[in-house]
Amino acid sequence: MTEINKKTLVGLAGGIGSGKSTISKLFNQLGIISIDADDVAREVVEPGSKCLKAIVERYGKGILLDNKQLDRRQLRQIVFEDKAEKHWLESITHPEIHNRIEELISAADSKYVLLVHPLLFETEQNNRCDYVIAISVPREVQVQRVTVRDNCSEELANKIIDNQISDMRRSELANTIIKNTGNISDLNAKVDELNQFIIENFNEN
């Protein structure tokens, strides 16, 4: 078998609290490099970045923590209370996130690259992918995970979920679905199966 092209891109789409990090780590254990859009989103607002400068100019220095890092919890509250602010923030950060993701894809050298993205379809990054996997999880599980993980209210967790496409629509748009019930054994088996399928079917891209 010829080696799969290293630029083959597989999307892993899932809403907040769906288990994207857990599933991407299982792919990592199989030697697959993953690029997490959430990590990139944090990177582009690091101190010294032009994105953070623009954010401070708009909201003032009160949007920063004592260590000069962005207060992401405060910013999240602002943008999910006001759609105009959300659109403004996306206009500043999304181009930077997109460019950095492209750089990371170019540098990756595994058999294929896994793009982990909570807004894969919303940002139309699915069009960049050769194959898309959607993670399906019950909404009540998402809310529970997010409130515990991010120490936020159920109201805010629901607002964030409402700003993402529905679990059903995401599943309809994807090539295949992983149902994340929290059973790590089931997830391992599904990831192993998908990894083999991708390698066998996208080796001539």
Side-chain angles (χ1 to χ4, degrees), residues 166-205:
S166 69
D167 184 90
M168 180 179 295
R169 182 62 178 149
R170 189 183 296 111
S171 297
E172 289 172 350
L173 292 169
N175 297 105
T176 194
I177 304 163
I178 293 179
K179 292 187 180 296
N180 185 4
T181 61
N183 185 319
I184 195 67
S185 177
D186 287 348
L187 288 180
N188 259 310
K190 184 65 174 177
V191 167
D192 283 343
E193 177 188 333
L194 282 170
N195 178 63
Q196 193 60 39
F197 172 83
I198 293 162
I199 290 173
E200 289 176 354
N201 286 272
F202 294 91
N203 63 326
E204 294 179 356
N205 281 8

Side-chain angles (χ1 to χ4, degrees), residues 14-34:
I16 188 168
S18 61
K20 294 184 298 297
S21 295
T22 298
I23 292 171
S24 64
K25 285 175 184 175
L26 296 178
F27 278 97
N28 296 157
Q29 290 170 12
L30 297 173
I32 303 305
I33 291 174
S34 61

Side-chain angles (χ1 to χ4, degrees), residues 40-75:
V40 176
R42 283 187 280 272
E43 181 183 332
V44 301
V45 294
E46 284 291 314
S49 67
K50 65 180 184 181
C51 286
L52 185 58
K53 181 180 178 182
I55 291 168
V56 172
E57 285 176 353
R58 191 169 183 90
Y59 302 117
K61 291 184 179 179
I63 201 69
L64 299 177
L65 298 168
D66 290 342
N67 62 3
K68 307 302 181 184
Q69 294 276 348
L70 176 64
D71 185 342
R72 295 174 62 84
R73 184 181 300 177
Q74 184 185 164
L75 183 62

Side-chain angles (χ1 to χ4, degrees), residues 15-17 76-77 80-81 139-164:
I16 188 168
R76 175 182 279 180
Q77 192 77 45
F80 285 107
E81 293 291 343
R139 185 185 182 106
E140 59 270 22
V141 174
Q142 284 182 274
V143 172
Q144 181 184 29
R145 288 174 179 169
V146 174
T147 53
V148 172
R149 185 191 70 191
D150 296 348
N151 190 27
C152 70
S153 66
E154 288 189 9
E155 181 184 8
L156 181 56
N158 277 298
K159 281 184 179 179
I160 295 169
I161 294 169
D162 287 339
N163 272 273
Q164 300 175 342

